Amino acid sequence: MPYLSRIHLNPLRTQAQRMLNNPQVLHAAVLGGLSHQPVTERVLWRLETHQHHLAVLILTQTKPSWEHLVEQAGWPNADEPQALVKPYEPLLDQIQRGRTFAFRLKANPTSAAKKLIKPTKAQAERLAGERPRGVRVAHTKLPEQVDWLLAKLHRAGCTVPTDIINDNKVSAVRATDRRRLRFQKNGRRADAPVLLEAVTFDGLLQVDDPAATRSALLDGIGTGKAYGFGLLTLAPPRPLQES
């Protein structure tokens, strides 16, 4: 049975700062919450800021334990609970054809390309192989990122309704945060830095294929899942504000 967890993080603590600066550190802490090691199940997570509180949302396929995360990077002696774990099945049961939900997705929009105008040395070597599968190329422009999202949601059995803004028909989705992540892999300065395009999308979706939507919720969307991307979350629909 899958579970969705929310753990508050204290940004003033040293370990929390390390987690915020390097997604690999936080990913390792997330995997440490599962009893079956090494971890083979799909784990999705996302950093979330809500009403001036910093938290990490985590979707696991088995019931986790987050005492270590609270102890290292939270408020272990606080009166209010710092880790909340809830079964995910009740939400999955609500995924029915025709229902509309508000959604949030932090994604790393990329696509595979077999031809590049100015490939790097590593990209050129990969494309020169006998059976090249292409290299991952990030979408850096907002229209491309939105198109990528709409295509992914379509594959996930969803359609995005439209808004009328300034007499123009636009998809009911907003890119509420766009930034480039840069960090050292494995924390070693000698390694080439990891560069990722991070986009947080908020919007509305309508379920057309419940089975495909449930699969997308459990498996995630896009690449970079180990770095905090791909977790699609749903909530009751609410009006979108013009950005």
Side-chain angles (χ1 to χ4, degrees):
M1 175 187 294
Y3 292 85
L4 184 66
S5 304
R6 185 217 63 211
I7 304 97
H8 290 300
L9 300 180
N10 181 351
L12 298 181
R13 301 195 67 178
T14 300
Q15 186 63 9
Q17 293 175 7
R18 291 187 63 227
M19 293 175 181
L20 296 177
N21 292 329
N22 192 323
Q24 282 196 322
V25 176
L26 181 49
H27 183 63
V30 167
L31 296 185
L34 298 170
S35 61
H36 184 73
Q37 299 285 334
V39 176
T40 56
E41 66 182 70
R42 168 67 73 194
V43 178
L44 302 171
W45 60 271
R46 181 177 78 221
L47 280 172
E48 190 88 348
T49 301
H50 179 65
Q51 295 181 349
H52 308 292
H53 291 289
L54 181 66
V56 56
L57 295 180
I58 308 171
L59 179 63
T60 58
Q61 304 304 309
T62 56
K63 192 171 185 178
S65 176
W66 303 119
E67 284 84 356
H68 71 293
L69 194 50
V70 174
E71 180 67 32
Q72 294 172 10
W75 287 270
N77 297 315
D79 290 335
E80 62 182 15
Q82 297 300 298
L84 179 65
V85 181
K86 289 188 175 183
Y88 207 49
E89 289 289 350
L91 173 65
L92 297 178
D93 291 340
Q94 295 180 43
I95 307 303
Q96 303 296 331
R97 187 185 305 275
R99 288 204 61 178
T100 298
F101 295 91
F103 75 87
R104 173 167 292 176
L105 172 69
K106 182 179 180 181
N108 173 223
T110 64
S111 60
K114 293 187 178 181
K115 292 183 179 180
L116 298 177
I117 297 177
K118 293 182 179 180
T120 64
K121 181 179 179 180
Q123 290 173 337
E125 291 176 351
R126 181 165 183 175
L127 293 173
E130 291 185 6
R131 302 177 62 183
R133 294 184 298 173
V135 295
R136 285 287 166 185
V137 178
H139 296 297
T140 59
K141 297 180 180 179
L142 181 57
E144 296 174 348
Q145 293 169 341
V146 172
D147 287 344
W148 174 91
L149 171 70
L150 297 178
K152 289 294 184 181
L153 290 179
H154 179 72
R155 292 183 60 183
C158 307
T159 55
V160 175
T162 56
D163 281 342
I164 302 296
I165 297 179
N166 297 330
D167 296 325
N168 294 317
K169 183 181 289 188
V170 298
S171 298
V173 60
R174 307 287 184 269
T176 54
D177 185 57
R178 300 172 66 223
R179 65 183 65 192
R180 176 169 293 181
L181 298 184
R182 179 188 178 97
F183 58 93
Q184 299 297 137
K185 193 172 184 179
N186 300 318
R188 296 193 295 262
R189 293 185 178 181
D191 293 339
V194 178
L195 298 175
L196 297 170
E197 297 294 329
V199 186
T200 300
F201 296 103
D202 285 277
L204 299 174
L205 61 78
Q206 179 177 296
V207 177
D208 299 323
D209 184 341
T213 304
R214 294 188 194 104
S215 294
L217 289 170
L218 294 173
D219 297 335
I221 292 178
T223 60
K225 297 180 178 68
Y227 299 129
F229 298 109
L231 174 60
L232 176 67
T233 53
L234 304 181
R238 59 188 182 277
L240 288 175
Q241 300 297 323
E242 183 177 354
S243 57

